[in-house]
Amino acid sequence: FYFFFLMIRRPPRSTQSRSSAASDVYKRQVHDNLIELNLSRMKISSHLLQKVVDNLTKGKAKLETLVLDYNMIDNEGIMALGIYLAMERAQKLNHFSISGNPIGDVGVQNLCKILQARTKGASLDNGIGLKYLGLSETKLSDSGIFALVNLFERAASSKTTNAQNSKAAVVENEEKLTLDLSKNLLTESGINVLAGFLSHDEIIASLNLSHNPSLDTKCFGLILNGLLSNYSVTTLIYEDNIIDRENLNHLNRFLSINYVITRISITIPHLMYSLLNSKTIPVLSLIHISEPTRLLSISYAVFCLKKKNPFFYF
Protein backbone atom coordinates (compact mmCIF):
# COMPACT_ATOMS: atom_id res chain seq x y z
CA PHE A 1 0.00 0.00 0.00
CA TYR A 2 2.75 2.43 0.92
CA PHE A 3 4.69 1.55 -2.20
CA PHE A 4 1.61 2.28 -4.33
CA PHE A 5 1.06 5.56 -2.50
CA LEU A 6 4.61 6.64 -3.14
CA MET A 7 4.23 5.86 -6.82
CA ILE A 8 1.16 7.99 -7.32
CA ARG A 9 2.60 10.84 -5.27
CA ARG A 10 5.92 10.87 -7.06
CA PRO A 11 6.13 13.93 -9.37
CA PRO A 12 6.11 12.68 -12.96
CA ARG A 13 8.89 13.76 -15.28
CA SER A 14 6.38 15.55 -17.48
CA THR A 15 5.77 18.14 -14.75
CA GLN A 16 9.19 19.60 -15.40
CA SER A 17 8.83 23.07 -16.90
CA ARG A 18 9.38 23.23 -20.63
CA SER A 19 11.89 26.02 -20.35
CA SER A 20 14.05 24.02 -17.92
CA ALA A 21 13.68 20.89 -20.06
CA ALA A 22 14.89 22.87 -23.05
CA SER A 23 17.94 24.00 -21.07
CA ASP A 24 19.60 20.70 -21.94
CA VAL A 25 19.69 21.84 -25.54
CA TYR A 26 21.45 25.04 -24.50
CA LYS A 27 24.06 23.29 -22.34
CA ARG A 28 24.84 20.18 -24.37
CA GLN A 29 26.58 20.15 -27.70
CA VAL A 30 24.33 18.87 -30.50
CA HIS A 31 25.56 15.50 -31.76
CA ASP A 32 26.76 15.21 -35.34
CA ASN A 33 24.01 12.85 -36.56
CA LEU A 34 21.10 15.15 -35.69
CA ILE A 35 18.95 15.95 -38.74
CA GLU A 36 15.71 17.18 -37.11
CA LEU A 37 15.31 19.66 -34.25
CA ASN A 38 11.83 20.57 -32.99
CA LEU A 39 11.68 23.05 -30.11
CA SER A 40 8.05 24.12 -30.38
CA ARG A 41 6.21 25.59 -27.37
CA MET A 42 9.35 25.61 -25.20
CA LYS A 43 9.12 29.25 -24.06
CA ILE A 44 12.31 30.03 -25.94
CA SER A 45 13.22 33.71 -26.11
CA SER A 46 15.63 35.24 -28.61
CA HIS A 47 18.30 35.24 -25.90
CA LEU A 48 17.93 31.52 -25.27
CA LEU A 49 17.79 30.85 -29.00
CA GLN A 50 21.24 32.41 -29.27
CA LYS A 51 22.54 29.63 -27.00
CA VAL A 52 20.93 27.00 -29.22
CA VAL A 53 22.58 28.58 -32.26
CA ASP A 54 25.93 28.59 -30.47
CA ASN A 55 25.67 24.84 -29.94
CA LEU A 56 24.65 24.27 -33.55
CA THR A 57 27.60 26.24 -34.85
CA LYS A 58 30.06 24.38 -32.60
CA GLY A 59 28.86 20.96 -33.73
CA LYS A 60 28.82 19.31 -37.14
CA ALA A 61 25.13 18.45 -37.36
CA LYS A 62 23.51 18.98 -40.77
CA LEU A 63 19.91 19.75 -39.91
CA GLU A 64 17.24 19.06 -42.50
CA THR A 65 14.32 20.19 -40.30
CA LEU A 66 14.20 23.07 -37.81
CA VAL A 67 10.88 23.86 -36.10
CA LEU A 68 10.64 26.68 -33.54
CA ASP A 69 6.87 27.21 -33.46
CA TYR A 70 5.05 29.13 -30.70
CA ASN A 71 7.90 30.48 -28.65
CA MET A 72 8.91 34.07 -27.83
CA ILE A 73 11.32 34.67 -30.69
CA ASP A 74 11.46 38.13 -32.25
CA ASN A 75 13.63 39.83 -34.86
CA GLU A 76 16.69 39.50 -32.62
CA GLY A 77 16.27 35.73 -32.72
CA ILE A 78 16.05 35.78 -36.52
CA MET A 79 19.38 37.57 -36.68
CA ALA A 80 20.88 34.95 -34.35
CA LEU A 81 19.58 32.16 -36.59
CA GLY A 82 21.24 33.83 -39.53
CA ILE A 83 24.64 32.89 -38.11
CA TYR A 84 23.84 29.18 -38.38
CA LEU A 85 21.90 29.40 -41.65
CA ALA A 86 24.88 31.09 -43.31
CA MET A 87 27.11 28.07 -42.57
CA GLU A 88 27.84 25.50 -45.25
CA ARG A 89 26.40 22.57 -43.28
CA ALA A 90 23.08 24.42 -42.96
CA GLN A 91 22.57 24.04 -46.71
CA LYS A 92 20.85 20.71 -46.04
CA LEU A 93 18.01 22.49 -44.21
CA ASN A 94 14.82 22.19 -46.27
CA HIS A 95 12.03 22.47 -43.65
CA PHE A 96 11.93 25.62 -41.54
CA SER A 97 9.03 26.85 -39.41
CA ILE A 98 8.88 29.75 -37.01
CA SER A 99 5.10 30.06 -36.77
CA GLY A 100 3.54 31.58 -33.66
CA ASN A 101 6.48 33.90 -32.93
CA PRO A 102 6.16 37.73 -32.99
CA ILE A 103 8.91 38.32 -35.54
CA GLY A 104 6.78 40.84 -37.48
CA ASP A 105 7.58 42.35 -40.86
CA VAL A 106 11.12 43.32 -39.84
CA GLY A 107 11.88 39.74 -38.84
CA VAL A 108 10.47 38.40 -42.11
CA GLN A 109 12.50 40.95 -44.09
CA ASN A 110 15.70 39.87 -42.35
CA LEU A 111 14.79 36.20 -42.82
CA CYS A 112 14.40 36.83 -46.56
CA LYS A 113 17.89 38.35 -46.68
CA ILE A 114 19.28 35.31 -44.88
CA LEU A 115 17.53 32.88 -47.22
CA GLN A 116 18.70 34.83 -50.25
CA ALA A 117 22.31 34.55 -49.07
CA ARG A 118 22.12 30.74 -48.64
CA THR A 119 20.38 29.77 -51.88
CA LYS A 120 23.54 29.26 -53.93
CA GLY A 121 24.69 26.27 -51.93
CA ALA A 122 21.28 24.94 -50.89
CA SER A 123 20.50 21.28 -51.53
CA LEU A 124 17.22 22.06 -53.32
CA ASP A 125 17.29 23.72 -56.71
CA ASN A 126 14.10 25.75 -56.38
CA GLY A 127 15.89 29.04 -55.81
CA ILE A 128 15.05 29.15 -52.10
CA GLY A 129 16.48 25.91 -50.77
CA LEU A 130 13.37 25.06 -48.74
CA LYS A 131 10.47 22.66 -49.19
CA TYR A 132 8.49 24.17 -46.30
CA LEU A 133 8.43 27.69 -44.85
CA GLY A 134 6.09 28.22 -41.89
CA LEU A 135 5.23 31.86 -41.14
CA SER A 136 1.78 31.41 -39.64
CA GLU A 137 0.78 33.79 -36.83
CA THR A 138 3.96 35.87 -37.01
CA LYS A 139 2.26 39.32 -37.20
CA LEU A 140 3.15 39.42 -40.88
CA SER A 141 1.54 42.19 -42.93
CA ASP A 142 1.95 43.58 -46.45
CA SER A 143 5.53 44.79 -45.91
CA GLY A 144 6.58 41.25 -45.09
CA ILE A 145 4.77 39.95 -48.18
CA PHE A 146 6.66 42.45 -50.34
CA ALA A 147 9.95 41.09 -48.96
CA LEU A 148 8.87 37.48 -49.60
CA VAL A 149 7.82 38.21 -53.17
CA ASN A 150 11.12 39.98 -53.77
CA LEU A 151 12.90 36.86 -52.51
CA PHE A 152 10.80 34.65 -54.78
CA GLU A 153 11.41 36.92 -57.78
CA ARG A 154 15.16 36.74 -57.26
CA ALA A 155 14.96 32.99 -56.80
CA ALA A 156 12.92 32.58 -59.98
CA SER A 157 15.37 34.66 -61.99
CA SER A 158 18.24 32.44 -60.86
CA LYS A 159 16.62 29.29 -62.14
CA THR A 160 17.66 28.04 -65.57
CA THR A 161 14.72 25.77 -66.30
CA ASN A 162 12.39 26.79 -69.13
CA ALA A 163 8.60 27.01 -69.03
CA GLN A 164 8.13 23.57 -70.55
CA ASN A 165 10.22 21.88 -67.88
CA SER A 166 8.33 23.81 -65.19
CA LYS A 167 5.03 22.54 -66.54
CA ALA A 168 6.29 18.96 -66.54
CA ALA A 169 7.57 19.35 -62.98
CA VAL A 170 4.05 19.73 -61.61
CA VAL A 171 3.76 15.95 -61.31
CA GLU A 172 7.08 15.61 -59.46
CA ASN A 173 6.61 18.35 -56.93
CA GLU A 174 9.26 17.54 -54.35
CA GLU A 175 11.33 20.68 -54.89
CA LYS A 176 8.47 23.15 -54.81
CA LEU A 177 7.71 25.23 -51.73
CA THR A 178 4.89 24.82 -49.21
CA LEU A 179 4.20 28.29 -47.84
CA ASP A 180 2.06 28.90 -44.73
CA LEU A 181 0.94 32.52 -44.29
CA SER A 182 -2.18 31.84 -42.23
CA LYS A 183 -3.35 33.84 -39.19
CA ASN A 184 -1.61 37.05 -40.15
CA LEU A 185 -2.48 40.66 -41.04
CA LEU A 186 -2.47 40.54 -44.84
CA THR A 187 -4.55 43.01 -46.85
CA GLU A 188 -5.44 43.55 -50.49
CA SER A 189 -2.13 45.31 -51.26
CA GLY A 190 -0.05 42.33 -50.21
CA ILE A 191 -2.36 39.84 -51.92
CA ASN A 192 -2.22 41.84 -55.14
CA VAL A 193 1.59 41.65 -55.21
CA LEU A 194 1.57 37.95 -54.31
CA ALA A 195 -1.00 37.20 -57.03
CA GLY A 196 1.15 39.05 -59.56
CA PHE A 197 4.08 36.80 -58.69
CA LEU A 198 1.95 33.65 -58.95
CA SER A 199 0.82 34.61 -62.44
CA HIS A 200 4.27 34.22 -63.98
CA ASP A 201 6.53 32.23 -61.61
CA GLU A 202 6.36 28.66 -60.39
CA ILE A 203 8.14 28.13 -57.07
CA ILE A 204 5.20 27.52 -54.72
CA ALA A 205 3.34 24.18 -54.61
CA SER A 206 1.04 24.75 -51.63
CA LEU A 207 -0.26 28.09 -50.34
CA ASN A 208 -2.12 28.66 -47.07
CA LEU A 209 -3.79 32.08 -46.63
CA SER A 210 -6.35 31.06 -44.00
CA HIS A 211 -7.54 33.23 -41.09
CA ASN A 212 -6.44 36.61 -42.40
CA PRO A 213 -9.33 38.78 -41.17
CA SER A 214 -8.41 41.83 -43.28
CA LEU A 215 -8.86 40.01 -46.59
CA ASP A 216 -12.05 41.03 -48.39
CA THR A 217 -13.95 39.33 -51.20
CA LYS A 218 -11.75 40.94 -53.86
CA CYS A 219 -8.64 39.19 -52.50
CA PHE A 220 -9.92 35.71 -53.33
CA GLY A 221 -10.51 36.80 -56.92
CA LEU A 222 -6.99 38.21 -57.13
CA ILE A 223 -5.49 34.90 -56.01
CA LEU A 224 -7.57 32.91 -58.50
CA ASN A 225 -6.55 35.25 -61.32
CA GLY A 226 -2.92 34.81 -60.36
CA LEU A 227 -3.27 31.03 -60.45
CA LEU A 228 -4.91 30.90 -63.88
CA SER A 229 -1.56 30.66 -65.66
CA ASN A 230 0.33 28.97 -62.82
CA TYR A 231 1.60 25.42 -63.29
CA SER A 232 3.07 24.73 -59.85
CA VAL A 233 0.42 25.42 -57.17
CA THR A 234 -1.54 22.23 -56.51
CA THR A 235 -3.02 23.18 -53.11
CA LEU A 236 -4.79 26.36 -52.00
CA ILE A 237 -6.09 26.68 -48.43
CA TYR A 238 -8.31 29.72 -47.88
CA GLU A 239 -10.23 29.02 -44.70
CA ASP A 240 -12.10 31.48 -42.46
CA ASN A 241 -11.81 34.35 -44.94
CA ILE A 242 -14.70 36.33 -46.41
CA ILE A 243 -16.16 35.09 -49.70
CA ASP A 244 -19.41 35.84 -51.52
CA ARG A 245 -21.51 34.54 -54.38
CA GLU A 246 -19.35 36.18 -57.02
CA ASN A 247 -16.29 34.45 -55.52
CA LEU A 248 -18.00 31.07 -55.95
CA ASN A 249 -18.90 31.87 -59.53
CA HIS A 250 -15.31 32.95 -60.12
CA LEU A 251 -14.11 29.69 -58.58
CA ASN A 252 -16.36 27.70 -60.88
CA ARG A 253 -14.86 29.43 -63.93
CA PHE A 254 -11.36 28.97 -62.54
CA LEU A 255 -11.81 25.21 -62.12
CA SER A 256 -12.88 24.89 -65.74
CA ILE A 257 -9.57 26.43 -66.86
CA ASN A 258 -6.91 25.38 -64.37
CA TYR A 259 -6.23 21.63 -64.48
CA VAL A 260 -3.18 21.67 -62.23
CA ILE A 261 -4.68 22.44 -58.84
CA THR A 262 -5.87 19.32 -57.02
CA ARG A 263 -7.03 20.65 -53.65
CA ILE A 264 -8.86 23.80 -52.59
CA SER A 265 -10.15 24.17 -49.03
CA ILE A 266 -12.50 27.03 -48.11
CA THR A 267 -14.54 27.73 -44.99
CA ILE A 268 -16.77 30.68 -44.14
CA PRO A 269 -16.15 32.53 -40.84
CA HIS A 270 -18.78 31.48 -38.30
CA LEU A 271 -19.86 35.07 -37.56
CA MET A 272 -20.44 35.66 -41.26
CA TYR A 273 -22.83 32.74 -41.65
CA SER A 274 -25.70 34.50 -39.89
CA LEU A 275 -25.51 37.23 -42.54
CA LEU A 276 -25.85 34.79 -45.42
CA ASN A 277 -29.15 33.76 -46.92
CA SER A 278 -30.41 31.90 -49.96
CA LYS A 279 -29.98 35.01 -52.10
CA THR A 280 -26.30 35.26 -51.20
CA ILE A 281 -25.22 31.62 -51.49
CA PRO A 282 -26.22 29.78 -54.68
CA VAL A 283 -27.40 26.19 -54.73
CA LEU A 284 -24.28 24.05 -54.65
CA SER A 285 -23.86 20.59 -56.12
CA LEU A 286 -21.25 18.08 -57.18
CA ILE A 287 -18.91 19.44 -59.85
CA HIS A 288 -16.90 17.19 -62.13
CA ILE A 289 -13.42 18.32 -63.10
CA SER A 290 -11.71 16.45 -65.93
CA GLU A 291 -7.99 16.64 -66.53
CA PRO A 292 -7.43 16.23 -70.28
CA THR A 293 -3.84 17.47 -70.14
CA ARG A 294 -2.57 14.70 -67.83
CA LEU A 295 -3.01 10.96 -67.63
CA LEU A 296 -4.28 10.93 -64.08
CA SER A 297 -7.47 9.81 -62.39
CA ILE A 298 -10.52 12.08 -62.48
CA SER A 299 -10.86 14.64 -59.68
CA TYR A 300 -14.03 15.89 -58.07
CA ALA A 301 -14.98 19.06 -56.22
CA VAL A 302 -17.66 18.81 -53.54
CA PHE A 303 -19.51 21.81 -52.13
CA CYS A 304 -21.06 21.15 -48.73
CA LEU A 305 -23.08 23.49 -46.50
CA LYS A 306 -23.74 22.96 -42.81
CA LYS A 307 -25.92 25.10 -40.56
CA LYS A 308 -23.71 25.50 -37.52
CA ASN A 309 -20.29 25.06 -39.11
CA PRO A 310 -20.48 26.06 -42.77
CA PHE A 311 -17.78 24.39 -44.82
CA PHE A 312 -16.74 24.25 -48.44
CA TYR A 313 -14.28 21.57 -49.54
CA PHE A 314 -12.95 21.02 -53.01
Side-chain angles (χ1 to χ4, degrees):
F1 173 79
Y2 290 108
F3 178 69
F4 178 72
F5 177 79
L6 289 174
M7 286 188 66
I8 63 175
R9 293 291 297 172
R10 180 182 178 183
R13 296 182 64 181
S14 60
T15 59
Q16 184 181 14
S17 69
R18 295 189 179 193
S19 56
S20 61
S23 64
D24 290 342
V25 181
Y26 314 142
K27 297 176 181 178
R28 300 178 184 177
Q29 183 172 332
V30 176
H31 67 79
D32 297 346
N33 295 325
L34 186 68
I35 61 174
E36 179 176 346
L37 182 59
N38 189 330
L39 296 175
S40 300
R41 303 181 187 275
M42 300 291 285
K43 299 181 181 179
I44 298 175
S45 64
S46 294
H47 175 70
L48 294 179
L49 181 61
Q50 178 66 64
K51 297 182 180 181
V52 176
V53 172
D54 290 342
N55 280 338
L56 288 173
T57 54
K58 291 176 184 178
K60 297 180 180 180
K62 298 179 179 180
L63 291 181
E64 296 178 6
T65 299
L66 178 59
V67 181
L68 299 167
D69 294 347
Y70 295 96
N71 286 296
M72 299 177 289
I73 301 169
D74 55 18
N75 177 55
E76 183 181 346
I78 294 295
M79 300 304 294
L81 277 173
I83 299 173
Y84 171 71
L85 294 177
M87 302 181 72
E88 182 179 356
R89 60 174 173 269
Q91 302 298 336
K92 290 290 184 180
L93 185 71
N94 56 60
H95 183 116
F96 176 69
S97 182
I98 196 160
S99 297
N101 289 280
I103 63 175
D105 288 331
V106 176
V108 172
Q109 291 165 359
N110 286 323
L111 178 61
C112 289
K113 294 177 182 178
I114 294 168
L115 293 177
Q116 175 63 31
R118 71 181 288 271
T119 52
K120 292 184 178 180
S123 59
L124 292 179
D125 187 24
N126 63 1
I128 299 177
L130 294 175
K131 288 194 295 186
Y132 181 88
L133 178 58
L135 294 172
S136 173
E137 208 168 344
T138 52
K139 298 186 177 180
L140 171 71
S141 67
D142 294 338
S143 297
I145 285 291
F146 299 155
L148 282 171
V149 170
N150 183 56
L151 170 66
F152 298 154
E153 293 278 5
R154 290 174 177 270
S157 65
S158 69
K159 295 178 63 178
T160 58
T161 55
N162 56 37
Q164 184 177 0
N165 290 335
S166 295
K167 183 182 289 190
V170 72
V171 178
E172 296 296 333
N173 217 11
E174 291 83 358
E175 294 188 351
K176 302 297 182 181
L177 175 69
T178 295
L179 181 62
D180 187 356
L181 301 176
S182 61
K183 299 181 180 179
N184 280 304
L185 308 172
L186 308 184
T187 69
E188 181 182 329
S189 297
I191 292 298
N192 191 38
V193 172
L194 178 60
F197 167 77
L198 293 173
S199 66
H200 62 272
D201 285 309
E202 299 165 5
I203 289 176
I204 300 172
S206 177
L207 179 61
N208 190 340
L209 294 171
S210 301
H211 307 282
N212 278 275
S214 298
L215 298 187
D216 56 20
T217 56
K218 185 178 179 181
C219 294
F220 187 60
L222 290 172
I223 290 296
L224 292 183
N225 288 337
L227 292 176
L228 278 176
S229 57
N230 184 284
Y231 293 100
S232 67
V233 175
T234 60
T235 299
L236 173 64
I237 305 176
Y238 200 83
E239 299 175 352
D240 257 10
N241 294 322
I242 299 175
I243 61 172
D244 60 9
R245 177 176 180 175
E246 182 56 36
N247 288 146
L248 295 178
N249 291 333
H250 193 168
L251 178 61
N252 192 25
R253 294 191 296 269
F254 168 80
L255 292 175
S256 67
I257 298 173
N258 184 297
Y259 297 105
V260 175
I261 201 157
T262 57
R263 183 188 175 217
I264 303 179
S265 181
I266 305 173
T267 58
I268 298 176
H270 184 73
L271 294 178
M272 177 186 172
Y273 183 67
S274 60
L275 303 177
L276 300 177
N277 52 48
S278 58
K279 295 181 180 180
T280 309
I281 292 294
V283 177
L284 302 177
S285 59
L286 183 66
I287 291 181
H288 170 225
I289 310 171
S290 61
E291 297 182 347
T293 58
R294 294 187 291 159
L295 298 176
L296 296 178
S297 58
I298 294 175
S299 300
Y300 290 90
V302 180
F303 297 76
C304 180
L305 291 178
K306 293 182 179 179
K307 275 190 174 181
K308 293 184 179 179
N309 186 23
F311 177 72
F312 298 95
Y313 186 81
F314 307 92

